[in-house]
Amino acid sequence: MEGDFIKINKWLLPLSKLYGLASNFRNALFNIGVLKSRSFDVPVIAVGNITVGGSGKTPHVEYLIRLLKGTFHTAVLSRGYKRKSKGFVQATTDTTMPEIGDEPYQIKEKFPDVIVAVDKNRCHGIDTLVENDKEIDVILLDDAFQHRYVKPGINILLVDYHRLIIYDELLPAGRLREPLSGKDRADIVIVTKCPKDLKPMEYRVITKAMNLYPYQQLFFSTIEYSDLQPLFGGDRTVTLSQLSDHHVLLLTGIASPQQMTHDLQPLIPQLTPLTFSDHHDFKEKDIALINDTFASLPEPRLIITTEKDATRLKLAKGLNEEVRNHLYVLPINVCILQEQAEVFNQQIIDYVHKNSRNSILVKRKDDHKPKDSDHSGNRPRTISFRNN
């Protein structure tokens, strides 16, 4: 468990102490009110981490979308990392990946009925979303745990099981972007990318080591893989179980590809990883490397890539016909472990029900109505919630 993927550069620890002083100073400015955190009338749920690298933010935002979108008019706001546009941009069916970034584009493609927008200034983004659509019930902030100018109603901190923050160090020696005390701002902490067969003893050890406050709730999640989907058309899906005799090129440009490699290796013994940096912009030389690496694999062969990488590979020029015909996307979903999904789901739904602008307006209107009485002199009011 401890240190699975953790590498600490002890020579850089003195610099980490300086980084920690700067981070603590910034947080102190927010804590004493010199820098202001804003609350909003609309329910806001922030999802993020305090580390460099992937902890599963987008899959967990997608989990929340699936949970909420059938009942609540849901919006997602991201900064749109590495996008080519500026300011506030709300996605439409014609919006391109470079305009909003790969992860927001992925979300919009999977959930076309959900509002997706990007804005580096999250407060401005929330104001604009609400001004454009008065019916929004809830806003999900992607990668916003450290964006303290917004004070969310629920703050969700994600912690990678393979790089637990309690064993990590601050930048540049480790990968923490702020001191461990930053976790105290979380309402919910989720340990992500856990093995499906995580032992009860490990649950107890991690729970104790995380040392959370009574007001904080701890959950554990794992990744589940769906059937492979062809990236460039066609309806031939492929299951992972069908690839045991294939030579597979695992093509990734994500922050933490180790987990996917670890999960797929037992199912696909002949797995060849080809790894690029997170949010990698595929250049001509990269495409040539992909073509050549795939051509070097014996038959039968296939390429697997991630949903995020697929948004960029779609725009890449130079992929040969053989690669395009054998390039498949591996969708992933999040599953809450320990039979705690219902507890987690209910907490999220209750918060949105209680704080949605529609329910608050109904309550305020009801407060100004004359009180009807029954025989006891009191009649309880009922508050209705809008279902979309």
Side-chain angles (χ1 to χ4, degrees), residues 65-317:
I65 293 171
R66 293 187 183 94
L67 174 66
L68 296 170
K69 70 182 182 70
T71 304
F72 303 102
H73 190 33
T74 304
V76 178
L77 179 64
S78 172
R79 62 173 171 162
Y81 184 64
K82 282 196 172 184
R83 63 186 169 117
K84 305 301 182 183
S85 60
K86 300 292 184 181
F88 178 89
V89 178
Q90 184 166 322
T92 68
T93 54
D94 298 323
T95 302
T96 63
M97 187 278 290
E99 291 179 278
I100 57 175
D102 51 12
E103 290 166 337
Y105 184 83
Q106 171 187 322
I107 291 172
K108 186 62 179 178
E109 274 210 320
K110 294 176 74 171
F111 306 99
D113 295 334
V114 169
I115 298 170
V116 177
V118 294
D119 196 332
K120 185 177 180 180
N121 184 331
R122 307 294 172 78
C123 289
H124 177 264
I126 294 173
D127 286 336
T128 306
L129 279 171
V130 172
E131 182 179 344
N132 290 347
D133 190 339
K134 307 296 185 185
E135 298 301 314
I136 289 177
D137 290 313
V138 57
I139 297 176
L140 305 177
L141 295 185
D142 184 14
D143 193 13
F145 187 83
Q146 289 195 294
H147 192 89
R148 296 198 60 185
Y149 291 99
V150 174
K151 187 176 182 181
I154 293 183
N155 219 358
I156 300 177
L157 174 64
L158 305 182
V159 177
D160 190 334
Y161 167 83
H162 298 281
R163 196 177 181 101
L164 293 173
I165 56 177
I166 49 179
Y167 304 124
D168 212 337
E169 295 286 349
L170 284 166
L171 291 167
R175 294 174 66 183
L176 289 179
R177 294 188 292 186
E178 65 175 287
L180 187 59
S181 59
K183 68 182 175 62
D184 298 345
R185 299 196 306 274
D187 302 293
I188 294 173
V189 178
I190 304 177
V191 179
T192 68
K193 304 179 183 178
C194 296
K196 292 182 177 64
D197 59 348
L198 193 63
K199 303 297 187 290
M201 177 60 72
E202 284 191 273
Y203 284 119
R204 291 193 290 270
V205 169
I206 294 174
T207 300
K208 183 176 180 180
M210 287 297 294
N211 193 29
L212 299 181
Y213 284 100
Y215 63 82
Q216 297 176 298
Q217 288 187 279
L218 180 64
F219 296 91
F220 297 81
S221 70
T222 191
I223 292 173
E224 292 186 337
Y225 299 99
S226 301
D227 292 345
L228 295 159
Q229 305 295 324
L231 177 57
F232 292 105
D235 54 4
R236 179 177 174 263
T237 61
V238 176
T239 64
L240 290 173
S241 61
Q242 293 176 302
L243 300 179
S244 59
D245 62 341
H246 279 60
H247 293 264
V248 173
L249 180 64
L250 179 59
L251 173 57
T252 59
I254 57 177
S256 301
Q258 300 98 324
Q259 180 65 48
M260 183 171 285
T261 304
H262 178 270
D263 291 342
L264 297 185
Q265 197 79 61
L267 301 171
I268 310 170
Q270 301 169 105
L271 188 71
T272 302
L274 182 57
T275 304
F276 296 90
S277 60
D278 194 18
H279 301 277
H280 186 74
D281 185 14
F282 293 99
K283 305 294 186 183
E284 184 178 344
K285 64 177 183 179
D286 304 319
I287 299 303
L289 177 60
I290 294 169
N291 289 338
D292 293 343
T293 305
F294 183 67
S296 69
L297 298 180
E299 297 278 3
R301 59 193 178 192
L302 196 85
I303 304 177
I304 293 177
T305 195
T306 69
E307 292 175 292
K308 185 167 79 170
D309 291 309
T311 64
R312 285 173 276 117
L313 287 168
K314 270 186 177 181
L315 302 178
K317 296 180 180 179

Side-chain angles (χ1 to χ4, degrees), residues 276-373:
F276 296 90
S277 60
D278 194 18
H279 301 277
H280 186 74
D281 185 14
F282 293 99
K283 305 294 186 183
E284 184 178 344
K285 64 177 183 179
D286 304 319
I287 299 303
L289 177 60
I290 294 169
N291 289 338
D292 293 343
T293 305
F294 183 67
S296 69
L297 298 180
E299 297 278 3
R301 59 193 178 192
L302 196 85
I303 304 177
I304 293 177
T305 195
T306 69
E307 292 175 292
K308 185 167 79 170
D309 291 309
T311 64
R312 285 173 276 117
L313 287 168
K314 270 186 177 181
L315 302 178
K317 296 180 180 179
L319 290 172
N320 64 40
E321 198 65 24
E322 182 75 5
V323 167
R324 292 170 65 91
N325 290 338
H326 292 83
L327 183 51
Y328 281 76
V329 181
L330 181 59
I332 65 173
N333 296 306
V334 164
C335 177
I336 304 295
L337 295 172
Q338 282 188 301
E339 299 182 349
Q340 290 294 297
E342 186 59 36
V343 175
F344 176 81
N345 295 351
Q346 198 60 52
Q347 180 172 348
I348 299 296
I349 291 171
D350 286 348
Y351 161 70
V352 179
H353 261 316
K354 182 179 178 181
N355 295 280
S356 67
R357 289 183 300 160
N358 187 68
S359 66
I360 291 172
L361 288 172
V362 171
K363 185 178 187 300
R364 287 174 179 170
K365 182 179 179 181
D366 203 33
D367 285 341
H368 289 86
K369 287 181 179 180
K371 303 295 190 296
D372 294 330
S373 298

Side-chain angles (χ1 to χ4, degrees), residues 22-38:
S23 180
N24 279 330
F25 180 69
R26 176 181 182 270
N27 281 326
L29 293 178
F30 278 103
N31 294 339
I32 64 177
V34 174
L35 296 177
K36 303 294 184 181
S37 297
R38 281 185 59 192

